[in-house]
Amino acid sequence: MTNITGRVREAFRGDQRVDADALIARLDAVRRFLTAVDGLLPDAELVPAHTLVERAGTRLALSRDHTVVALAGATGSGKSSLFNALAQLELSPVGVRRPTTGVTHACVWGPLEGANRLLDWIGVLPRHRFVRESALDADDETALHGLILLDLPDFDSVQRSHRLEVDRLLGLVDQVVWVVDPQKYADRVIHDSYLREFHRHRDVTLVVLNQADRLPPAEVPRVLDDLRRLLDTDGLTGVPLLSTTAIDPAGMVGLRGALERTVAERQAALRRLAGDVDTVVAGLDELVGSARPAGGPDDSTVDGLNRALAGAAGVPAVTEAVQQAYRHRAVAATGWPLVRGWRRLRPDPLRRLHLPGPADAGADAAESLVAATSVPDPTAAQRSALGLAIRAVADRAAADLPAAWPGAVTAAARSRLGDLPDALDRTIASTDLGLGRRPLWWRVVGGLQWLVTLAAVVGLGWLVLGYALRALGLPALDNPMVGQVPLPTLLLLGGLLAGLLLAALTRPVVRWAARRARARAEQRLTAKVARVGEEYVLTPVRVVLGSYAQARDALRDAARC
Ligand SMILES: Nc1nc2c(ncn2[C@@H]2O[C@H](COP(=O)(O)OP(=O)(O)O)[C@@H](O)[C@H]2O)c(=O)[nH]1
Ligand SMILES: [Mg+2]
């Protein structure tokens, strides 16, 4: 998977200005990312982003006129000496105490009030704050107005609390001056644990080789070259590198000048935060991919889901019952009148499933009927087929997503699994199965059956009457003849034959129409079941895919610099 923010990793702003509005927009994008992935990705992966959003918001809300610069380094490298030399604490009326190792001290150039809230947030105790505002200074300190210099505890201190304090402060300050000395400048700990880790903050990093006076002057350039080479290996190519001598004011000129420029630019805080955004974005990069994923699973996977849902919902049993019910009702309406009554005594196949029977006139009654049906519960095979189909939906939907997401998609697809059986049952119960209205042709055929039966009955009656009259010796009825056959006989036999013929002719039509009724019911049920699938399975999946797309766009916005 290509890296959408790969560009950022190598970006080195150097002297480039960071626009505050652009930085705020990037932080907003990180915030949007966090909102989009909330609850979907493991929290542990999001901690740095949450921390950044929180810290950056606070830092920007606090003074932007101050620049917090930390002197960091190993024991004895000369941090405190540099701090004293820059702050000239010996001259300051308040600065009589020498900063002690293990506690962070701050020196503020300019009025303390504006810096106090910043120092409260950074966590430097009031008694460790000094002000570099002295009548003795005249104007020569104004170039550093706005500087807050921190003397950090030694990062190689044997005390764990000191090291933790250094780590904490390095996460908050605007710029770091790494102090190394000629003896320990190549120390592995400095490079592996700190300098290399700080490579994304190259634009707010400055390295000083202190105690340069301890080297023969001719050696200084060679040591600086060697140190530069190590810094390149650390990924700190291009960072300013100076030599200093804390015990000689002349040896402080370069560092002082660098700090004056930093203060004048008012850029360190913004650059530091921009570097933090880079670090966070690079860390989150694996969580989003380069290609925009499709909007959901493909049609054939959705068809598979719908089939499995239909199976679990008992659609085959219901459509079978619809076909039988159609035949049952059609025969009851169109059959030979004497058979109809007997037909009606048999239970209606749909009634057995507690689905709308003949008395429930049409869709209105059906829609209001939301009680549970007696459609058989899904079998173990149907349940596992449904499980597999839901899995397939999640797998297809998550196919293009990076490794962190398929879990969230699967969870979403299964999130409403427990509600599915009831929803399916309600849907089946509320579907108009299309058997509400009696077709006109049933009535026509039924009427005809009555008619021919009536003819047979009349014929029978006529014949019976004729026999009765003859038996009583009364004058016989005058039987009209149709061809060679007397009319009453014709009526009786013709009526019976016609009735049988009509029933025989109707039967295949009923069978065909029953199949059609089944197909229509199947279509309606499948459509309604698909809607349940959409609501209970596909929509939650699409919501996650939408969140992914938002997260991806947000991270891309956050990566822009
Ligand atoms: N010769 C020389 N000694 C220095 C220099 N900077 C610091 N020192 C000495 O190195 C020792 C450790 O200095 P310190 O400022 O306490 O280092 P820290 O542990 O980094 O705060 C002290 O004895 C300082 O006097 C320097 O530039 N030149
Ligand atoms: Mg010290």
Side-chain angles (χ1 to χ4, degrees), residues 17 59 64-69 86 107-110 141-149 174-175 206 255-269 271:
R17 291 191 72 78
R59 177 62 188 94
R64 279 198 224 168
D65 293 332
H66 286 95
T67 306
V68 185
V69 178
L86 286 164
C107 183
V108 179
W109 274 256
E141 293 294 309
T142 46
L144 288 178
H145 263 218
L147 173 67
I148 299 176
L149 189 68
D174 301 330
Q175 181 164 46
L206 202 143
L255 177 58
R256 231 188 124 84
L259 291 176
E260 284 172 3
R261 277 194 300 283
T262 301
V263 169
E265 279 180 347
R266 301 255 184 284
Q267 275 282 300
R271 285 196 186 131

Side-chain angles (χ1 to χ4, degrees), residues 83-419:
F83 183 85
N84 286 342
L86 286 164
Q88 299 167 21
L89 285 183
E90 295 77 16
L91 297 176
S92 167
V94 285
V96 283
R97 284 164 297 166
R98 182 189 154 84
T100 50
T101 308
V103 198
T104 304
H105 290 80
C107 183
V108 179
W109 274 256
L112 190 61
E113 300 85 62
N116 266 342
R117 284 193 330 131
L118 199 48
L119 285 169
D120 286 345
W121 176 63
I122 290 171
V124 177
L125 294 177
R127 69 171 182 276
H128 299 138
R129 300 174 191 175
F130 305 96
V131 191
R132 192 70 204 92
E133 187 81 327
S134 163
L136 298 173
D137 296 339
D139 281 341
D140 57 353
E141 293 294 309
T142 46
L144 288 178
H145 263 218
L147 173 67
I148 299 176
L149 189 68
L150 304 184
D151 178 18
L152 300 197
D154 309 321
F155 66 58
D156 56 350
S157 165
V158 284
Q159 287 203 39
R160 206 172 112 79
S161 62
H162 294 178
R163 296 198 304 269
L164 290 176
E165 176 70 350
V166 172
D167 288 343
R168 189 183 73 76
L169 288 162
L170 287 177
L172 298 176
V173 300
D174 301 330
Q175 181 164 46
V176 179
V177 175
W178 294 101
V179 183
V180 295
D181 61 63
Q183 267 136 45
K184 285 200 263 175
Y185 75 89
D187 199 13
R188 289 265 312 273
V189 183
I190 309 177
H191 292 274
D192 292 353
S193 306
Y194 286 90
L195 290 171
R196 196 161 295 169
E197 290 296 308
F198 233 66
H199 75 273
R200 267 184 240 285
H201 291 101
R202 284 180 293 192
D203 6 348
V204 288
T205 300
L206 202 143
V207 181
V208 300
L209 174 70
N210 188 41
Q211 305 185 20
D213 60 302
R214 290 187 194 260
L215 288 168
E219 272 289 282
V220 175
R222 194 197 57 76
V223 175
L224 283 175
D225 278 352
D226 196 31
L227 179 53
R228 170 66 76 193
R229 189 182 49 74
L230 292 171
L231 291 174
D232 287 348
T233 322
D234 294 333
L236 288 169
T237 311
V239 300
L241 172 60
L242 309 166
S243 62
T244 50
T245 302
I247 52 166
D248 174 10
M252 296 296 295
V253 174
L255 177 58
R256 231 188 124 84
L259 291 176
E260 284 172 3
R261 277 194 300 283
T262 301
V263 169
E265 279 180 347
R266 301 255 184 284
Q267 275 282 300
L270 301 178
R271 285 196 186 131
R272 154 86 218 214
L273 293 176
D276 283 346
V277 177
D278 289 350
T279 308
V280 161
V281 166
L284 296 174
D285 209 30
E286 281 184 359
L287 300 180
V288 299
S290 54
R292 178 172 275 278
D298 57 309
D299 289 349
S300 77
T301 313
V302 174
D303 284 349
L305 172 69
N306 290 342
R307 270 197 305 280
L309 283 168
V315 170
V318 175
T319 53
E320 175 65 29
V322 164
Q323 187 174 1
Q324 287 172 7
Y326 186 95
R327 277 165 61 185
H328 175 83
R329 293 174 199 183
V331 170
T334 65
W336 207 47
L338 297 180
V339 180
R340 290 189 205 176
W342 169 75
R343 239 311 159 178
R344 287 206 179 108
L345 291 178
R346 283 170 48 186
D348 186 280
L350 275 183
R351 280 291 193 190
R352 275 194 306 238
L353 298 180
H354 290 125
L355 286 166
D360 307 310
D364 288 347
E367 286 296 347
S368 64
L369 190 92
V370 287
T373 68
S374 299
V375 175
D377 283 340
T379 61
Q382 282 168 332
R383 267 202 298 271
S384 85
L386 180 58
L388 286 175
I390 291 176
R391 226 246 114 94
V393 164
D395 288 351
R396 291 294 307 168
D400 299 331
L401 302 188
W405 289 83
V409 176
T410 306
R414 298 175 55 85
S415 61
R416 304 194 66 190
L417 197 57
D419 302 331

